[in-house]
Each structure stands twice: as structure tokens, then as C-alpha cells.
Amino acid sequence: MGKVAKPISIQDIQAQMKEALQRTAVRPSIAGYKPQDYQIPFHESTKQGRLIIGGNRSGKTVAGAAEAVMRLTGKHPVYNRKLSNVRGRAIAVDFPQGIEKVVLPEIARWIPPSSLKNGSWEESYVRGTRTLTLENDSFLEFMSYDQDVDKFSGTSRDFVWFDEEPPEDIFNENMMRLIDVGGDWWM
């Protein structure tokens, strides 16, 4: 005879809801992202190359990270050419300051745990290759302007996000990664 499932009490449901609300308040995901007025045209643009311009701490990196997460998870309000197996690249000035302290935490802030492999950042992010791979086989690789330009070559990407203005040779090399798929870039 099969096991009978234990009924869930109202108190158990309330406790689970309280825990989920607290988790969401502390760690929102892309579902809770509300762009500022000036960020909306950036996210709604269908241009292949886009700039988001603003002062220090005005939300440029937030918008860039949210754009990347929406594309990687297939939850973008406008871009819907690819809903899985999206191949992205995020590039910052350097690894210690730009990637580790700014870009990675911003991606982690918006990526829903349900999009991560087994719901786990640790199982999804490989520090050695600096690559975040999602449950839907989309991935985001993290690179920096202090790498040799040849490190940016050879592979096709659906998008490239430059967190700051790149050196010209790195910009040009990354544009080559977008040609065969008609990929997009933003900075």
C-alpha cells in the first residue's frame, strides 16, 4: 500500500509564503526588475548596438546586467529571437574590480535561482573559466580589457555587454563575434 502524503497545514503554507517573501525582498530576481524611466528605451530598443549613458551610480550597470539576464533566461520584453542556448559575453575594465566587485554581483542579483543549474550559483558558475551556465544551456562568459585581444577571438556570441567603454581593438574583435548570428551589443 502506498504512503499517504501528510496534509499541509495553513500555518505551514503561511510560513513558506513568509520565507519566500523575505527571500524576494532581500534578493530580488529579474521578475522584480523595474527599470527607471531613462532605462526603458534602452531595453525596448531593437537596434543591434546601443549605448546607455549616465553619471556615476545612475544605473548603467544595473540596466546592462538586467538586459543580459533577460536575454539569457528568455524573459526579455522585446528580444525573443532565442529563448535558450543564448551565448553572451560581459566585459569590464579588469577582473578584481570590474568583474568580481561590480558585474558578477549585479548578474547574481537579478538571475532567478530557478534559472541556475539545480538552483545553485555554485553549480552554475565556473570560476576557472569565468562562465555562468544556466539550466537552459545559455551561458555568460566574463572577460576584461586587461586580457590580450586574441583571447576575444574565435567564437560566435549572441550578445556582448561592455560595462565600460572598451579599447578599440577589443571592441572590434568582439564585433566580429556577432557577425554570423546578427548578435547585439550594448555599453
Side-chain angles (χ1 to χ4, degrees):
M1 193 166 155
K3 261 186 157 179
V4 176
K6 179 182 171 188
I8 299 174
S9 72
I10 269 291
Q11 291 82 12
D12 290 339
I13 293 171
Q14 288 172 332
Q16 289 174 2
M17 288 177 66
K18 179 181 176 184
E19 181 184 325
L21 285 171
Q22 287 173 330
R23 211 174 32 248
T24 301
V26 171
R27 190 187 177 291
S29 73
I30 202 63
Y33 174 67
K34 299 289 181 241
Q36 297 177 42
D37 290 344
Y38 86 95
Q39 295 168 323
I40 293 169
F42 168 75
H43 292 302
E44 290 179 350
S45 175
T46 57
K47 300 287 186 185
Q48 185 178 19
R50 294 172 292 145
L51 301 175
I52 187 160
I53 300 169
N56 287 337
R57 306 196 47 79
S58 63
K60 301 178 304 290
T61 297
V62 171
E67 182 76 12
V69 168
M70 287 187 283
R71 287 172 182 247
L72 291 166
T73 59
K75 307 245 188 279
H76 197 281
V78 176
Y79 175 88
N80 58 9
R81 286 183 281 169
K82 236 179 155 180
L83 300 177
S84 64
N85 202 24
V86 175
R87 299 161 300 160
R89 180 178 282 175
I91 314 171
V93 173
D94 61 17
F95 284 111
Q97 299 301 316
I99 296 294
E100 297 290 333
K101 289 186 179 177
V102 178
V103 173
L104 267 174
E106 203 59 47
I107 292 292
R109 174 183 179 192
W110 297 113
I111 200 94
S114 61
S115 295
L116 298 170
K117 288 184 173 185
N118 296 319
S120 165
W121 180 269
E122 291 73 26
E123 289 188 41
S124 298
Y125 181 66
V126 177
R127 192 173 190 81
T129 60
R130 294 181 173 109
T131 304
L132 177 68
T133 304
L134 304 185
E135 193 69 39
N136 69 0
D137 290 326
S138 294
F139 69 82
L140 182 62
E141 65 183 344
F142 300 89
M143 301 184 78
S144 78
Y145 302 149
D146 58 4
Q147 291 181 273
D148 291 333
V149 72
D150 64 329
K151 300 290 184 194
F152 295 89
S153 65
T155 57
S156 175
R157 294 291 172 259
D158 295 302
F159 72 80
V160 176
W161 164 35
F162 301 96
D163 189 49
E164 299 284 343
E165 184 179 343
E168 186 176 5
D169 59 344
I170 290 176
F171 178 80
N172 291 337
E173 190 60 47
N174 279 282
M175 293 302 97
M176 299 297 288
R177 304 307 110 226
L178 303 173
I179 291 173
D180 61 332
V181 294
D184 299 324
W185 64 271
W186 59 91
M187 89 173 68

